[in-house]
Amino acid sequence: MTGATRNSDKWVLVTGGAGYIGSHAVAELIDSGYKCVVVDNFSNSCYEPIARLQVLSKTEIPFFKVDLMDGPALEKVFEQYKIDSVIHFAGLKAVGESTKIPLTYYHNNITGTVVLLETMKKFGTYKLVFSSSATVYGDATRFPDMIPIPEECPTGPTNPYGKTKLAIEEILEDLHTSDPEKWRFAVLRYFNPIGAHPSGLIGEDPLGIPNNLLPSMAQVAVKRREKLFVFGNDYNSRDGTPIRDYIHVVDLAKGHIAALKYLDQVNDNQGLYRAWNLGSGTGSTVLEVYKAFCQTCSIDLPYEIVGRRAGDVLNLTAKPDRATKELKWSTHFKVADACADLWNWTTNNPFGYQLLGVVDTFFGTPNEYESRLVTIGRGSGFEVSLSNLGASIVDLKVDGKSVTLSLANESEYLDDRNPYLGATVGRYANRLRGGKFSIAGAEYQLDLNESGAAVHSSSSSYHKRHFLGPLVINPSKNRYTAKFVLLDTNTQFPGDVLTKVTYEIDVQAKELTIEYEGELLSGEATIMNLTNHTYFNLNTFQDTGYDGTNVKILSDQVVEVDSKGCATGKITKVPDVSALTLAKNGPQFDTCFVTGSKPSIDTRKNSLKTVLQAYHPESGVKLTISTTEPSFQFYTKGPGFLEEYGERLGFCCEPGRFIDAANISEWKSAVTLTKEEVYGSKISYKFD
Amino acid sequence: MTGATRNSDKWVLVTGGAGYIGSHAVAELIDSGYKCVVVDNFSNSCYEPIARLQVLSKTEIPFFKVDLMDGPALEKVFEQYKIDSVIHFAGLKAVGESTKIPLTYYHNNITGTVVLLETMKKFGTYKLVFSSSATVYGDATRFPDMIPIPEECPTGPTNPYGKTKLAIEEILEDLHTSDPEKWRFAVLRYFNPIGAHPSGLIGEDPLGIPNNLLPSMAQVAVKRREKLFVFGNDYNSRDGTPIRDYIHVVDLAKGHIAALKYLDQVNDNQGLYRAWNLGSGTGSTVLEVYKAFCQTCSIDLPYEIVGRRAGDVLNLTAKPDRATKELKWSTHFKVADACADLWNWTTNNPFGYQLLGVVDTFFGTPNEYESRLVTIGRGSGFEVSLSNLGASIVDLKVDGKSVTLSLANESEYLDDRNPYLGATVGRYANRLRGGKFSIAGAEYQLDLNESGAAVHSSSSSYHKRHFLGPLVINPSKNRYTAKFVLLDTNTQFPGDVLTKVTYEIDVQAKELTIEYEGELLSGEATIMNLTNHTYFNLNTFQDTGYDGTNVKILSDQVVEVDSKGCATGKITKVPDVSALTLAKNGPQFDTCFVTGSKPSIDTRKNSLKTVLQAYHPESGVKLTISTTEPSFQFYTKGPGFLEEYGERLGFCCEPGRFIDAANISEWKSAVTLTKEEVYGSKISYKFD
C-alpha cells in the first residue's frame, strides 16, 4: 500500500477488530465502502479472522498488533494512516472473570480507552463509536417500569466489567463536555450478540470455557463439551429461565455503520455524545434459544439446570426505539437465523480459528502481519509451508524432509537474485518476445529481464507481491485449503485483475493441488498465464544437488523456440525423454513440453493429466505432477543463486500455456482474458 | 539507612506525601511512631515540605520522585522498603480543571491507583487508606434528608474529579470483593480541609491560582492577589453563601492515623472495605469563614460577590458519626484555629515554599533526594551553596565569584582524598592523641587517620554523612536561615547525639553565621567539638593559589603541641602574626591559636570576637572571621588533592575547642557533653 493511499484516504480504526463483534463490524464496514485499519492485542483473539476477511472481501486490511495501553505503538498507527474515526471494541469482556481480577479489567479497559482518546486528540481524530453494553443498566427490574429498557433507564452496573463500560461512557461524556464542538461520541449499548457471519468464515471463538449461552451450546453440539449448564429455572418468566434480548452479530455490526454515518452527519462544530441501545426489542428465554438451536442442528443437546449465577437478573430486553428513529437501524435477523449461522460456523470450524496441524509465524518485515507464513500438516508426513509473499510454496516436507528449495526469510525472497523460488508466477508466466503484446488493437511493452524478452512478467511479477490471506480451512479430515487473493492493479498490463490461488492439501494422500483463477475487474481484456515455480530436489537434501533423480516426461512434443527462447509457432517432436537421469554435468533442459490437453482460457474443464514423474532412488521419494494445462516448462538449470546457499540444484515443472502464446495468433486466445471469461487451471503434486 | 532497617521495619508508603494533606499526614504519622516512605511526582508540589518535615521531626523520610503510572519505578520503592500499608493521596484534585482536561484526570487518578494496587498485590501489601472526597456525594441536597451527609447517602459526583474518586472507591470495593480476606481498604471522604501545621513550616501551597477559599484569602491578605471572589450570595443559607464543613488539616491528618490503626486491628484473614466521612459535622458559610480569617489577620480583606460557580451546591456538611464511633476520631480544632494557623503559615511563607533567591538542585547519587544542594542569595552579591552531605558549604560567592574551594559533585566529596572541604567537622574536630579518650571511667578508641592520632573523628566523620534538611526560611528581607540536623548514632563515640547546624545568611551584609548545637540523646556523656572546614581563597580564582593574601591574626598565643601535633597542655606566646602575607613558598601554618574567649561546653554565651582578618589586594575581597570559641586552627597547607583540580590552595580557620582538649584534664570539661547540657558555638564569616 502506498504512503499516498494511507494518508489521503479516510480510514476507520477498529480497535479489537480481530474479536467477535469487531471482526463482523470490519466485514460490514468494508461492505459499506469504508477503509479499515485494525488493531488488536490478541488477548482473546488471533490474526486468523483478519486473514479470512481479507480474502472474503478481497481487500487489504492493515493490521497492527497493539495494546491500547501502549501509547507510542498506537501513535505509530495514527502516523501511518489518516484516521477519520474510531470504532472502539477493544476491552476485556467476561463478567465472571471481572469479579475475580477487577484490577486487570479497570487497567485494560479504562486506561486503554484513555490512551486511545489521548492519541485521537493528538492526531485530531474526534469521532468514536464505543462498544458499550446493556450491562451498564444493571438490574433494570429494580425499577417498576423499565422493561423493555430505554436509554433513560438509570445505570447501575453490578460487576467490574459493567462498571468499566459505564466509567468509559462517563469519560466520553466528560470529554465531550470539555470540548463540546469537537468530540462526537456514539455509545452503543449492546444486548446479547449471537450468531456468526453467513459465510461461515468468521464467528465467535472464545478462548477457554465460553461464558455465553450460544457458544456453550455450539461446543456441546460438536462434542467439545459434555453438556450445557442452564443457570437457574426459578426466574419469574414463562419457562423459569432468564429473558435476554438476543441480536444477530451481523445486525449488531450494521448498527455501527449506522452510528458512524450518524456521526458523519453531525454538523461541523457541533459535537455529540449520545447513547443508543442495540437490541431487537424482543426477549427470548434461555430455554427458547436452546430449543431453537437444537432444532437448527437437529440434536437434542444434553443440558443440566444448575443454580443461578451471581449477578444474573430476570429480564434484559432492549427498547431499541431511539436507534430505530435516529440511526434508522433495526434488527433483521431472528434468533433462528443466528442459530443457523452459528451452526454453519461451528460445523465448518469446530475448533474455531484453530486448525489441527496448522501453525503460522511471520517473516517479520516491516509490519509482520503483511508477511505471513502458514504451515499446514505439521506433524503429519506431508507438510506445506505457504507464504503470502508471492502466494509461494516456501517448503514441502515429505516424511519430515524438505523436497523443495527455499530461502530463510522474506528479505531473501525479495532479493533480485531469487529465481521465483516456489512462487506463483504471473500475471504472464514464461517468455514474451520483446516484452511486447497487443490486446484489442493496442500495443503493450513490458520491462525486459534479459536478452530482449520479458520473462515471468518482469517488473510486474507476482513473486514480490503480498497476496491477501491465506484463508485456511479444513473442510474434511486430513484435507485443507489455503486460499490467496491478489488485486493485480496498476501494472504494465492492461486492466485490473483479481487473481486467486487456492492450495488444496491432502496430508494423508501427500497431494498438493493448486488451482489458479483470474478475473478481469476493469478494461476490456488482458493476457494471463499462471503457474508455480517450485524447484524440486527429491533426494531430501542428502546432497544439495539433484544428481541421480530419475525423471519420466510423458510427452514427445515441444514448443519450438528460436535462439531467443521464444516460440516460432511450431510444435515439434523430440526424442524419447521417458527415462532421464538428472545430473549436474548431464544435459540441461529449459524446454516447453506439450501435454496434449486442449488449450483454452480456462483449462479446468480438462481432467488432470500426469505429465511428469520423478523419483530419487536414495530417498525413495516419488513425485507425480499432473495438470490441466496444454504444456509445461521443464527447467533444470537452476538456480545457483545467493552464494550463502552454495550450489543447490532443483528442477522445475511449470505447467501453463504455450510459451510466448500471446504473440502467436493461433495460440493467443488461450492467454487472452476478457470480461466475460474466467482464467483457470490446475496443477497437482503428489508424493509417494 | 541500612538495608536491614529498610527491610525489617514496617513502612507506610505515603503517595502524594509532598502535597498539602499528604505532608500533614506524614507529620502525624511520624509523630505517632510510624516510619514513612514518600512518593510524589511533584505535579502540584515540591520537595521542600519533605526537607522541612525531616528537620521538624528529626527523622529521615525516604523520598522517591515517582509517578504512580510508572509501575517499574514504583516497584523499585517496594523492593527497597518493606511496605506494610499505603496511604494514597496522590491524584489531581482541582474540580474546575477536571472539567477542562477530563482525560488527564481519568488517566492520572484511575490508572495511577490501579498501578499502585497492582504493585501492592505483587509485593503482598494489602492495606490502603484512600484519600477520597465528599465530592462523591455530588449535590446531597437533591435528597430531602441527607444533610448532614451520612456515608449511606447515594453517590453522584457532578464533575470528572469527583467521578475519578468514586471510580477508585468502586475499584477498591471490587478488589476487596475479589479477594475479601486479604484486602483492607479504608476510604476517607474528606470535607473541606483548611489551615496549616502549627509550626508554620508546612501548609497549603497551590500552584497557580488557588481554587479554594482559604488559600485565596491568604493570598489576598499578603497582597499576592487583589481581592477575594465570593461565588454567589443567593443561596438559601443564613447569609446567602454556601455552607461547607471546614476541617483543620491536622485533624484530617489524624483521621488517617485512626484509619490505619483500624485497619491494623482487623482480624487476620478478614478483609475490609469501608468508607468514613472526615468532617467536623458543623457547617460554616463562606462569609463566616471570611470574617473569621479577617479577624485573625486583623485586615478587612477586599472581596467581590460574583456569580455562582457551576457545580457548587448549597450545603455539604458531614455527618461524621461513623468515624467518631468506629475510628474513635473527631475534630479538635475550630475554624478560628485553622485561620490562625493559616495566617502563621502565610506570614512565614508568603510565597509558599518558594523563597526568593533560593534554588535547589541535587547531586544525583544514587537517590538524588538524599543528596541536596541549596543555593541561597542567587542573584545577590552574596551567594551561599549548602549541601546536606556534611551540611557543607559547597560554595561561597562574593559579587558572583567563588572565594572557597569546592568540588563538582557528591562522589568527589565522598572521595577519601577530600580534606573535609567546606564540611561540618565532628563529632570531634581536630586531633585526638592516639584516637583515645575516656568518658565516665570508660576508655574509647577511635580508628586512626595518620601518625597515631584520630583527626576530625576519623571513620565517624560528619563530612560523609547526609544531614536531614535543610529547612530554609526567610524570616526577614535579605536574611535566610538554613537548618540541618543529624542523628549521630551508632558510631565509635559513646552515646547518640543530635547535631544541629544552622546557617544564617544576610545577603546584604554579606555575612554567614554558623551556629552549632549538640544534644545527647542516649548515654551519660560524650565528647564533642564542632567546626567548619572551609578552604578560603580570596583572590576569586584569578590564580588557583592564595599567594598575596594579607592575613591578620588577632592572637599571640597558641596551644603548644608535641611532635605528633597533640597538645602538651601548655599555652605559649608566639611572635607577632598580625601582618602575614600568604605564599605557597612562604611559611606554612597548622596552628591552634587561642582567642581569649572563655572555654565551656556552650560558648554561645560568649560574644562573637573577631579572630582573623584576610584581604586580597587584587580582588579587594576582605574576610572577617569571628567566633565565640576559645581557639581556632589556622591551616595553610592544603589541600593539594584530586589531581584534576591541579594545585588549588586555600587557607582554613577552624574555630573550636583547644586541640586534643579531651585528653588534657583542665580542658576536658569544655568538650564533654552530658545529658544536662547543650553543646553550642558560633562562627561568623563576613565579607567586604
Side-chain angles (χ1 to χ4, degrees), chain A residues 518-550:
Chain A
E519 281 174 55
L520 197 63
L521 300 177
S522 70
E524 290 303 307
T526 188
I527 59 169
M528 189 164 232
N529 184 26
L530 302 173
T531 191
N532 179 280
H533 210 310
T534 293
Y535 288 77
F536 294 99
N537 185 323
L538 304 186
N539 78 352
T540 57
F541 287 90
Q542 289 168 48
D543 181 348
T544 59
Y546 52 44
D547 284 14
T549 306
N550 301 326

Short mmCIF file of all heavy atoms in Angstrom, two decimals, chain A residues 518-550:
data_model
loop_
_atom_site.label_atom_id
_atom_site.label_comp_id
_atom_site.label_asym_id
_atom_site.label_seq_id
_atom_site.Cartn_x
_atom_site.Cartn_y
_atom_site.Cartn_z
N GLY A 518 -8.43 -16.35 -12.52
CA GLY A 518 -8.23 -14.92 -12.79
C GLY A 518 -9.49 -14.32 -13.36
O GLY A 518 -10.19 -14.95 -14.14
N GLU A 519 -9.80 -13.09 -12.88
CA GLU A 519 -10.98 -12.38 -13.38
C GLU A 519 -10.58 -10.97 -13.71
O GLU A 519 -9.85 -10.33 -12.93
CB GLU A 519 -12.04 -12.29 -12.28
CG GLU A 519 -12.84 -13.51 -12.04
CD GLU A 519 -13.74 -13.30 -10.83
OE1 GLU A 519 -14.51 -12.32 -10.82
OE2 GLU A 519 -13.63 -14.10 -9.88
N LEU A 520 -11.09 -10.47 -14.79
CA LEU A 520 -10.79 -9.11 -15.18
C LEU A 520 -11.74 -8.17 -14.43
O LEU A 520 -12.97 -8.33 -14.49
CB LEU A 520 -11.00 -8.98 -16.69
CG LEU A 520 -10.37 -7.76 -17.35
CD1 LEU A 520 -8.85 -7.78 -17.22
CD2 LEU A 520 -10.77 -7.74 -18.84
N LEU A 521 -11.18 -7.21 -13.69
CA LEU A 521 -12.02 -6.30 -12.93
C LEU A 521 -12.29 -5.00 -13.67
O LEU A 521 -13.28 -4.33 -13.44
CB LEU A 521 -11.34 -5.96 -11.60
CG LEU A 521 -11.05 -7.13 -10.66
CD1 LEU A 521 -10.30 -6.64 -9.42
CD2 LEU A 521 -12.35 -7.81 -10.24
N SER A 522 -11.37 -4.65 -14.56
CA SER A 522 -11.54 -3.41 -15.33
C SER A 522 -10.85 -3.61 -16.68
O SER A 522 -9.99 -4.48 -16.83
CB SER A 522 -10.92 -2.22 -14.60
OG SER A 522 -9.51 -2.36 -14.61
N GLY A 523 -11.19 -2.80 -17.66
CA GLY A 523 -10.61 -2.91 -19.00
C GLY A 523 -11.34 -3.99 -19.81
O GLY A 523 -12.21 -4.69 -19.30
N GLU A 524 -10.94 -4.07 -21.06
CA GLU A 524 -11.64 -5.00 -21.98
C GLU A 524 -11.02 -6.39 -21.96
O GLU A 524 -11.72 -7.39 -22.05
CB GLU A 524 -11.58 -4.44 -23.42
CG GLU A 524 -12.42 -3.20 -23.64
CD GLU A 524 -13.89 -3.42 -23.28
OE1 GLU A 524 -14.49 -4.39 -23.80
OE2 GLU A 524 -14.43 -2.64 -22.45
N ALA A 525 -9.71 -6.44 -21.92
CA ALA A 525 -9.04 -7.74 -22.00
C ALA A 525 -7.61 -7.59 -21.52
O ALA A 525 -7.06 -6.48 -21.46
CB ALA A 525 -9.06 -8.25 -23.43
N THR A 526 -7.01 -8.70 -21.14
CA THR A 526 -5.59 -8.71 -20.79
C THR A 526 -5.04 -10.07 -21.18
O THR A 526 -5.78 -10.93 -21.68
CB THR A 526 -5.38 -8.44 -19.30
OG1 THR A 526 -3.98 -8.27 -19.05
CG2 THR A 526 -5.90 -9.60 -18.43
N ILE A 527 -3.75 -10.27 -20.99
CA ILE A 527 -3.19 -11.61 -21.21
C ILE A 527 -2.86 -12.21 -19.84
O ILE A 527 -2.56 -11.50 -18.89
CB ILE A 527 -1.93 -11.58 -22.10
CG1 ILE A 527 -0.83 -10.70 -21.49
CG2 ILE A 527 -2.30 -11.10 -23.52
CD1 ILE A 527 0.52 -10.85 -22.20
N MET A 528 -2.95 -13.53 -19.77
CA MET A 528 -2.72 -14.19 -18.49
C MET A 528 -2.16 -15.58 -18.70
O MET A 528 -2.57 -16.30 -19.63
CB MET A 528 -4.01 -14.27 -17.70
CG MET A 528 -3.82 -14.74 -16.27
SD MET A 528 -5.25 -14.39 -15.25
CE MET A 528 -4.49 -13.54 -13.89
N ASN A 529 -1.24 -15.94 -17.85
CA ASN A 529 -0.64 -17.28 -17.85
C ASN A 529 -0.03 -17.48 -16.48
O ASN A 529 0.94 -16.80 -16.12
CB ASN A 529 0.43 -17.38 -18.95
CG ASN A 529 1.01 -18.78 -19.04
OD1 ASN A 529 0.36 -19.76 -18.68
ND2 ASN A 529 2.23 -18.90 -19.55
N LEU A 530 -0.64 -18.36 -15.67
CA LEU A 530 -0.19 -18.50 -14.29
C LEU A 530 0.41 -19.88 -14.05
O LEU A 530 -0.07 -20.87 -14.61
CB LEU A 530 -1.38 -18.32 -13.33
CG LEU A 530 -2.13 -16.99 -13.41
CD1 LEU A 530 -3.37 -17.04 -12.51
CD2 LEU A 530 -1.23 -15.83 -13.00
N THR A 531 1.44 -19.91 -13.24
CA THR A 531 1.99 -21.21 -12.86
C THR A 531 2.73 -21.08 -11.53
O THR A 531 2.78 -20.00 -10.93
CB THR A 531 2.92 -21.77 -13.94
OG1 THR A 531 3.22 -23.15 -13.64
CG2 THR A 531 4.23 -20.99 -14.02
N ASN A 532 3.27 -22.18 -11.09
CA ASN A 532 4.08 -22.18 -9.87
C ASN A 532 5.50 -22.57 -10.22
O ASN A 532 5.72 -23.45 -11.05
CB ASN A 532 3.50 -23.16 -8.85
CG ASN A 532 4.34 -23.18 -7.58
OD1 ASN A 532 5.40 -23.82 -7.53
ND2 ASN A 532 3.89 -22.46 -6.56
N HIS A 533 6.45 -21.92 -9.55
CA HIS A 533 7.86 -22.07 -9.94
C HIS A 533 8.69 -22.78 -8.87
O HIS A 533 9.83 -22.41 -8.61
CB HIS A 533 8.46 -20.70 -10.25
CG HIS A 533 9.55 -20.72 -11.26
ND1 HIS A 533 10.63 -21.57 -11.18
CD2 HIS A 533 9.73 -20.01 -12.40
CE1 HIS A 533 11.43 -21.35 -12.21
NE2 HIS A 533 10.90 -20.42 -12.98
N THR A 534 8.13 -23.82 -8.29
CA THR A 534 8.88 -24.57 -7.27
C THR A 534 10.07 -25.32 -7.89
O THR A 534 9.97 -25.87 -8.98
CB THR A 534 7.93 -25.55 -6.57
OG1 THR A 534 6.97 -24.79 -5.82
CG2 THR A 534 8.68 -26.49 -5.63
N TYR A 535 11.19 -25.31 -7.17
CA TYR A 535 12.36 -26.11 -7.52
C TYR A 535 12.35 -27.35 -6.64
O TYR A 535 12.46 -27.25 -5.42
CB TYR A 535 13.66 -25.33 -7.25
CG TYR A 535 13.90 -24.20 -8.24
CD1 TYR A 535 13.20 -23.00 -8.14
CD2 TYR A 535 14.83 -24.33 -9.27
CE1 TYR A 535 13.41 -21.97 -9.04
CE2 TYR A 535 15.05 -23.30 -10.18
CZ TYR A 535 14.34 -22.13 -10.06
OH TYR A 535 14.53 -21.10 -10.95
N PHE A 536 12.20 -28.50 -7.29
CA PHE A 536 12.15 -29.76 -6.53
C PHE A 536 13.54 -30.38 -6.43
O PHE A 536 14.34 -30.30 -7.36
CB PHE A 536 11.22 -30.77 -7.24
CG PHE A 536 9.78 -30.35 -7.23
CD1 PHE A 536 9.22 -29.73 -8.34
CD2 PHE A 536 8.99 -30.56 -6.10
CE1 PHE A 536 7.89 -29.33 -8.34
CE2 PHE A 536 7.64 -30.17 -6.11
CZ PHE A 536 7.10 -29.56 -7.22
N ASN A 537 13.77 -31.00 -5.32
CA ASN A 537 15.00 -31.78 -5.12
C ASN A 537 14.60 -32.97 -4.25
O ASN A 537 14.41 -32.83 -3.05
CB ASN A 537 16.06 -30.90 -4.42
CG ASN A 537 17.38 -31.64 -4.31
OD1 ASN A 537 17.42 -32.86 -4.10
ND2 ASN A 537 18.49 -30.91 -4.47
N LEU A 538 14.47 -34.11 -4.88
CA LEU A 538 13.85 -35.25 -4.21
C LEU A 538 14.80 -36.08 -3.37
O LEU A 538 14.39 -37.04 -2.73
CB LEU A 538 13.16 -36.17 -5.24
CG LEU A 538 12.12 -35.48 -6.13
CD1 LEU A 538 11.41 -36.52 -7.00
CD2 LEU A 538 11.09 -34.72 -5.31
N ASN A 539 16.08 -35.74 -3.40
CA ASN A 539 16.98 -36.53 -2.56
C ASN A 539 16.96 -36.08 -1.11
O ASN A 539 17.84 -36.42 -0.32
CB ASN A 539 18.41 -36.56 -3.14
CG ASN A 539 19.17 -35.27 -2.85
OD1 ASN A 539 18.59 -34.30 -2.35
ND2 ASN A 539 20.44 -35.25 -3.19
N THR A 540 15.93 -35.28 -0.79
CA THR A 540 15.71 -34.75 0.57
C THR A 540 17.00 -34.21 1.20
O THR A 540 17.31 -34.43 2.36
CB THR A 540 15.07 -35.81 1.50
OG1 THR A 540 15.88 -36.99 1.53
CG2 THR A 540 13.68 -36.18 1.03
N PHE A 541 17.74 -33.54 0.31
CA PHE A 541 18.92 -32.78 0.75
C PHE A 541 20.03 -33.61 1.38
O PHE A 541 20.81 -33.10 2.17
CB PHE A 541 18.52 -31.63 1.67
CG PHE A 541 17.86 -30.53 0.93
CD1 PHE A 541 16.49 -30.50 0.76
CD2 PHE A 541 18.61 -29.53 0.33
CE1 PHE A 541 15.87 -29.51 0.05
CE2 PHE A 541 18.00 -28.52 -0.39
CZ PHE A 541 16.63 -28.51 -0.53
N GLN A 542 20.06 -34.89 1.04
CA GLN A 542 21.26 -35.63 1.46
C GLN A 542 22.46 -35.11 0.68
O GLN A 542 23.59 -35.18 1.11
CB GLN A 542 21.04 -37.14 1.22
CG GLN A 542 20.02 -37.67 2.24
CD GLN A 542 19.55 -39.05 1.90
OE1 GLN A 542 20.37 -39.91 1.61
NE2 GLN A 542 18.26 -39.27 1.92
N ASP A 543 22.16 -34.54 -0.44
CA ASP A 543 23.14 -33.80 -1.24
C ASP A 543 22.42 -32.55 -1.68
O ASP A 543 21.21 -32.53 -1.79
CB ASP A 543 23.55 -34.68 -2.44
CG ASP A 543 24.59 -34.00 -3.32
OD1 ASP A 543 24.83 -32.78 -3.15
OD2 ASP A 543 25.15 -34.69 -4.19
N THR A 544 23.13 -31.47 -1.96
CA THR A 544 22.42 -30.26 -2.38
C THR A 544 22.07 -30.30 -3.86
O THR A 544 21.37 -29.42 -4.35
CB THR A 544 23.27 -28.99 -2.10
OG1 THR A 544 24.50 -29.13 -2.82
CG2 THR A 544 23.53 -28.83 -0.63
N GLY A 545 22.52 -31.29 -4.56
CA GLY A 545 22.18 -31.38 -5.99
C GLY A 545 21.08 -32.40 -6.26
O GLY A 545 20.66 -33.13 -5.37
N TYR A 546 20.61 -32.44 -7.48
CA TYR A 546 19.56 -33.39 -7.86
C TYR A 546 20.11 -34.62 -8.57
O TYR A 546 19.36 -35.41 -9.13
CB TYR A 546 18.48 -32.72 -8.71
CG TYR A 546 18.99 -31.94 -9.93
CD1 TYR A 546 19.98 -32.47 -10.77
CD2 TYR A 546 18.46 -30.70 -10.25
CE1 TYR A 546 20.44 -31.76 -11.86
CE2 TYR A 546 18.91 -29.99 -11.35
CZ TYR A 546 19.91 -30.53 -12.16
OH TYR A 546 20.36 -29.85 -13.25
N ASP A 547 21.43 -34.75 -8.61
CA ASP A 547 22.06 -35.88 -9.31
C ASP A 547 21.41 -37.20 -8.92
O ASP A 547 21.17 -37.46 -7.75
CB ASP A 547 23.56 -35.96 -8.99
CG ASP A 547 24.34 -34.89 -9.75
OD1 ASP A 547 23.69 -33.96 -10.28
OD2 ASP A 547 25.59 -34.98 -9.79
N GLY A 548 21.13 -37.99 -9.94
CA GLY A 548 20.58 -39.31 -9.69
C GLY A 548 19.07 -39.36 -9.70
O GLY A 548 18.48 -40.44 -9.57
N THR A 549 18.40 -38.19 -9.85
CA THR A 549 16.94 -38.19 -9.90
C THR A 549 16.50 -38.79 -11.25
O THR A 549 16.96 -38.36 -12.31
CB THR A 549 16.39 -36.76 -9.79
OG1 THR A 549 16.94 -36.16 -8.61
CG2 THR A 549 14.87 -36.76 -9.74
N ASN A 550 15.63 -39.81 -11.18
CA ASN A 550 15.05 -40.37 -12.40
C ASN A 550 13.83 -39.57 -12.77
O ASN A 550 12.94 -39.38 -11.93
CB ASN A 550 14.63 -41.82 -12.18
CG ASN A 550 15.80 -42.69 -11.75
OD1 ASN A 550 16.93 -42.45 -12.18
ND2 ASN A 550 15.54 -43.67 -10.91
#
